[in-house]
Amino acid sequence: MRGRFTRGGREALLRYVLRPPIAQERLLPRPDGLVRITLKKAYTDGTVAVDMDPLSLLCRLATSVPPPRFHTVRYAGVLAAASPWRPKIAPKPPTEEPAAASAEPDRTRPAGGYRPWAELLARTFAVDVLACPKCHGRMRLLAMVEEPANVARFLAAMGEPTEVPRRSPGRGPPYWKSRVLRRQALGDEDDGQGRWVPQTA
């Protein structure tokens, strides 16, 4: 592995981190408007590529995007927690000079790897949840309300809705899976094994 402090090592690391979800060499726009994706490994039925319309491709890629305000930090490859190469590329914590023997120990950070929930939210979303929006002072947690009756009472006192919103109805199948839309748009038919066969005149 190249050294992480060299120009080539940094370039290799950035290329690894910034790689797209699908390799550009595996995408091929077709003249009929579909996009052909070449598979890394052929299916058991011999399929080596999948054709889908651009909208269906975007729908498939959108499922890999995490929802807003949802903490889904995952590391893979050499950045994974169990990777033996992670200590070689992860930045080292700054070294601190040993404090004097007479100085008081620092109590701002608890022992171990525990971090308060407010600090985790600030590190992840850059939002200080303990800052008062009115006086900009520091707030502190007084109680944790868990009983449904108490939760409803507090929400009603604050003018917030107390009923759980109704779930939206289930949507139809994606465009590339809908037989009706596929037949209307492209005139294709399903061969019974999940593969679409263009209809010839």
Side-chain angles (χ1 to χ4, degrees), residues 53-200:
D53 56 280
L55 180 59
S56 299
L57 177 60
L58 292 178
C59 292
R60 297 291 295 271
L61 294 177
T63 57
S64 61
V65 178
R69 298 177 297 278
F70 190 74
H71 184 63
T72 56
V73 178
R74 298 188 180 98
Y75 297 99
V78 296
L79 297 178
S83 174
W85 288 355
R86 180 181 173 88
K88 299 180 180 180
I89 64 171
K92 300 295 187 300
T95 58
E96 299 179 356
E97 297 182 359
S102 59
E104 292 292 333
D106 186 11
R107 300 295 183 181
T108 57
R109 177 63 58 84
Y114 172 78
R115 291 179 181 271
W117 62 275
E119 182 180 347
L120 294 176
L121 291 177
R123 288 168 55 90
T124 306
F125 303 107
V127 175
D128 189 0
V129 295
L130 295 182
C132 179
K134 297 182 179 180
C135 65
H136 303 287
R138 303 301 298 172
M139 299 186 296
R140 60 189 181 92
L141 183 63
L142 297 180
M144 184 69 67
V145 182
E146 298 180 354
E147 295 295 332
N150 295 335
V151 172
R153 180 165 55 88
F154 279 106
L155 291 177
M158 298 175 59
E160 299 290 340
T162 58
E163 297 293 335
V164 179
R166 298 181 57 185
R167 298 182 60 181
S168 59
R171 62 175 180 84
Y175 180 81
W176 66 280
K177 282 188 176 181
S178 175
R179 298 184 178 183
V180 178
L181 296 178
R182 185 91 178 188
R183 189 180 302 113
Q184 292 177 355
L186 304 175
D188 294 351
E189 292 290 344
D190 190 359
D191 62 353
Q193 298 182 359
R195 295 176 297 185
W196 292 91
V197 180
Q199 294 295 314
T200 58

